[in-house]
Amino acid sequence: MSWPVHKLRNLWTVAELDRLCAAVDGAGGDWGRVAASMPGRSEAACKQAYNGHRRRERLAKAAPAAAAAPKRLKSWQDKRAAEKAAEQERARAFAQERSAASAFFGDPLPGRSALDQRSMQTPPKRPTLYTGDAR
């Protein structure tokens, strides 16, 4: 893919950006004087190129620091992490309590509590109230 001619004209070379930065250091924010020192470039083009160059430099310097910094979680993520930690602590305490009870009373069926065993029993049959003919 080739670049359109009007886009090629607007590209800045490294040498031009260096001259632009030097001109801005000398002239300050007077973009008319900066543009006068850059032949073929308007005030707006000089201003946009300089601000874009500074922004890219800032982002390049901040990128390694941002990668090294720990990620700040959102409040709902903090809350969910705290709930998960509390749930894990409750499960750990329950497991310790259960193991202490089974050591004392004995574990009738491994992996099942006495309540689980009772619920597995079939209920007694109830008498039917129907007394009519079965057709």
Side-chain angles (χ1 to χ4, degrees):
M1 179 176 137
S2 64
W3 283 74
V5 175
H6 70 280
K7 293 280 186 183
L8 289 174
R9 191 173 355 137
N10 293 334
L11 293 178
W12 289 74
T13 63
V14 175
E16 281 183 314
L17 285 174
D18 290 341
R19 273 194 328 196
L20 177 67
C21 290
V24 171
D25 289 341
D30 186 3
W31 295 107
R33 284 181 39 200
V34 171
S37 67
M38 303 295 296
R41 303 291 186 170
S42 67
E43 295 177 23
C46 290
K47 182 178 179 180
Q48 289 173 356
Y50 180 73
N51 289 333
H53 176 67
R54 284 187 48 208
R55 182 177 60 248
R56 283 187 293 275
E57 280 184 340
R58 261 196 323 268
L59 290 174
K61 287 179 184 176
K71 182 181 174 186
R72 174 70 183 128
L73 297 176
K74 296 177 179 148
S75 62
W76 65 270
Q77 290 172 322
D78 290 336
K79 187 176 181 180
R80 178 65 184 128
E83 288 172 357
K84 189 173 183 180
E87 183 179 336
Q88 288 174 346
E89 182 59 35
R90 282 193 303 271
R92 190 178 307 114
F94 177 75
Q96 287 176 350
E97 182 181 306
R98 172 118 198 279
S99 65
S102 66
F104 183 75
F105 293 112
D107 199 3
L109 267 179
R112 299 210 182 262
S113 70
L115 291 176
D116 290 338
Q117 291 176 18
R118 191 171 56 186
S119 66
M120 288 176 13
Q121 295 172 354
T122 58
K125 296 232 175 195
R126 295 184 185 202
T128 60
L129 300 177
Y130 180 72
T131 56
D133 291 338
R135 291 192 183 194

